[in-house]
Amino acid sequence: SLTHWARRLHVSAAFNAKAKVAMSRFEPSSSINYEELHEKINIVRKRLNRPLTLSEKIVYGHLDDPAGQEIARGRTYLRLRPDRVAMQDATAQMAMLQFISSGLPRVAVPTTIHCDHLIEAQIGGVEDLKRAKEVNQEVYNFLATAGAKYGVGFWKPGSGIIHQIILENYAYPGVMLIGTDSHTPNGGGLGSVCIGVGGADAVDVMAGIPWELKCPNVIGVKLTGRLSGWTSPKDVILKVAGILTVKGGTGAIVEYHGPGVDSVSCTGMATICNMGAEIGATTSIFPYNHRMKTYLNKTGRADIAALADEYKEDLVPDPGCEYDQVIEINLSELKPHINGPFTPDLAHPVSEIGAVAEKNGWPLEVKVGLIGSCTNSSYEDMGRAASLAKQALDRGLKCKAAFTVTPGSEQIRATIERDGFSQILRDVGGVVLANACGPCIGQWDRKDVKKGEKNTIVTSYNRNFTSRNDANPATHAFVTSPEIVTALAIAGTLKFNPETDYLVGANGERFKLEPPNGDELPAREFDPGQDTYQHPPADSTSVRVDVSPTSTRLQLLEPFDKWNGKDLEDLPVLIKVKGKCTTDHISAAGPWLKFRGHLDNISNNLLIGAVNVDNNAVNKIKNQLTGEYGGVPDVARHYKASGLSWVVVGDDNYGEGSSREHAALEPRHLGGRVIIVKSFARIHETNLKKQGMLPLTFADPADYDRIRPDDKISITGLANFSPGKPLKGVVKHGDGSQDIITLNHTFNDNQIEWFHAGSALNRMKELQ
C-alpha cells in the first residue's frame, strides 16, 4: 500500500521554506537544514580563507560551534552534531545497555537498530531466518523493547543489512550519520559523511552530547576515463587498497572526484566507499551528481533530490581545494582485480592471480564463490552476475564451485526475485541466503571442508582476514567483484581469466563469456517486499525492558572503577602480540556473536586469535604468577582475581577491522589498563579511551623489541597527564635490568576526564 511505502521510506513530502528535509522514521522528528549547513560552511570558509573539499564542507557544516572551533587537519578535535545514529544488532546490544545505564529517558537524535548480524547461513534464506528468530528470540525481544522504550526505530530480522537499508532510506547528500559498524561509510555513495564508531560514541550522540572526531586529513582520488567491460566499481577500491594498504587511510577521509565519477552508478559509489574501511579511512565520499539524483528518485526521495539540486554548490568540492594526498586512477585503463589471501590490500590483476597462486602454493581450485554482502548486493550487482550465469546456462553449464547469493535488503530480494535474477542464480547452482551479513562476518555453518584443510574461496565481500568467513585458518579467501566471483565459480579455478580464457559448453564447443551487463536500477519500481520496520510508540511509559539475571546472552553493565590517582605500577605483560592483530583477533565474531550482549561471557574470547611472540602460538600464554601456560582469557581472569592489572603489547595498526567495542570492553572488564603498540586503527583507539583504558604508542617503534613477554611495566607521569605530553614506561625485565621508554598518546582534555572517571559513560553520569 501507499501508506506502507511511505512509512518504509519515511521521508516527509512537505518541505518548508528553510529547506528542512524530514528524515526521521520516528519521534522525536529530526531534519537536516540545508540552509543551516550552507551558513556554517560559509562561516568556516571565511575563517579559513580557502576553498573547501566536499568532506570538509559536510564535516565543518556539522560543527557545534563553527565560529569558535579550532580547525587544523590531523591535529585538533572537532565537536560535531551528527544528524542520526544507526546500529546493527550485534553492537546495538552493548550500545543500548550503555544507554540504559546513562539514565536518560529517550534518544535525542533519530536512531535505528538493524537486525542483520545474528542470522547464520546453513541451508537457505527462509529456513535460516526462521531458525535465527528462534535462537535469538531473547536478544531480538530486548532490542525491540529497548527501541520502543527509548524512541529507537527497529528493523526486524530479515529486513536486510544495515548499510543497504541506510542507503535505501536514510543516507542523502550532506547528511552526517554515525553507525556502530565499520562499513557505515557505505553511505558516502549518496554524498553523505557516514562514519563507523563504537557503541560508546553512539551513546554520546544519542544522549545529545557533541561528538568528538579528530579533524580528518583529506585524501583525494581523482577518477578519469570510464568503466567498461569486466571492470567494475569494486576494482576501484581494490586498486586503492593495494596502493594505500590497510593503514594508509588512517585519520583521513577519502574523497573521490574528477570526470570519471559520472561513469560510476550510485550503488557502485557505495561499494567503493564501503570497502574504504579496509584502508583505515575515517570515511569515503563522492560528490553529488545525476547518478545520485536518479537513485534518490527511484527510492522515493525525489523531493530530497530537488533540494540537493538547489544546494548543489554545498554538495561538491570547491574549485581549487587542496588535498593532503592525491591518487589518480584512469578507469579506462583499470583492469579487474582480486585481493588476498588473508588481507584485503594484497592486490592482483585477475589476469595474474593464477600464476601468483601457483608460485605461492595457494590452492587453485575454487571451493565456494559467494556474492552479495553490504559491499556488493545492489540491483546492478545481482543483474550483472545473473547475466553471466545466464550465458553459462545457455551453454549447458552450472557452477563447478558451490555458489551462494546474499541479497542486501528485503527490497533487493523481492525485486530480484520478481525480475528473475534469483531464479537464474539458483539455476546455475546458487543458494539464495537470508537478507543478512551471513558468511561475510563468519555466520556460516560451512560443511564442505574440515577445519585446517587448505582451500580457496572467492567472495564479493570487503574483508578476508584469517578465519574470518568460516573459522578455518587454512581457508584462502579472496575478495573481488560479484562478476569475477561468478565467473570463477563457473570455471572452478583461480587460473581462469574471463577476459581471455574459454569455457567448454555441454556440447563440447569452446566459448568465451561476454562482459557482464545489468541495469543500474529496475525498469519498474522497486518491490519493497515485506514490511519489516517497527515504529516506536509516541508514549513508551508502559514498555518494559527486561534483562534476566540468569541470562547467558544479556547482562546489565556495572560501572568500571575510577582511576585511583596513582601511577600504574608493575603491570605484567598479558601477551606480546606478533604481527597483524585485528578486532577479529581481539574479539572473534562467528559463534561468539551470540554473547555480544553479555560482557562477562564474551570476554572468554579475549585475544584468543592473537599470535603470542613468545611461542608463535594462539591462545597460549605464560601465567607469570604460576609459571603455567593457559588461555589468554583464563590468565587475564587469574590476574584480575589476584588484584593485578595488566598490559598488552602489540604491533602496527592494532585493532584494524570492525568497529566492535567489545575489543575494548573485554580487556577493561578482565583487568587490563594499558595497550602499548606501534600504531592503532582509529576506531579501536577511540573505543579503548571510551572504556577508561590507556592506548599508548611507542615514541620509538624499535622499543617494541625491548619488551619481553615476562616483563613488568609501570606507567609513570599520570599525575600530570595532559594533551601532547608523553608518558614514561618503566620496563622491568626478569633479570633485574630495566629500560625506560617514551610512550605517546592522543588524549585531549575531555578524554583525559574519561580516564579519570573510569570511562566516558561514568563521566557522562558525573555531568548529569
Side-chain angles (χ1 to χ4, degrees), residues 676 698-700 703-704 706-707 713-714 716 727-731 739-743:
I676 306 172
F698 296 106
D700 179 1
D703 286 341
Y704 169 87
R706 294 175 182 266
I707 296 179
I713 301 176
S714 298
T716 65
L727 297 169
K728 291 293 182 185
V730 180
V731 184
D739 288 303
I740 297 178
I741 60 176
T742 301
L743 299 170

Side-chain angles (χ1 to χ4, degrees), residues 408-422:
S409 68
E410 170 61 8
Q411 180 166 280
I412 292 294
R413 182 209 62 78
T415 306
I416 65 172
E417 191 69 56
R418 179 197 70 192
D419 292 352
F421 298 163
S422 295

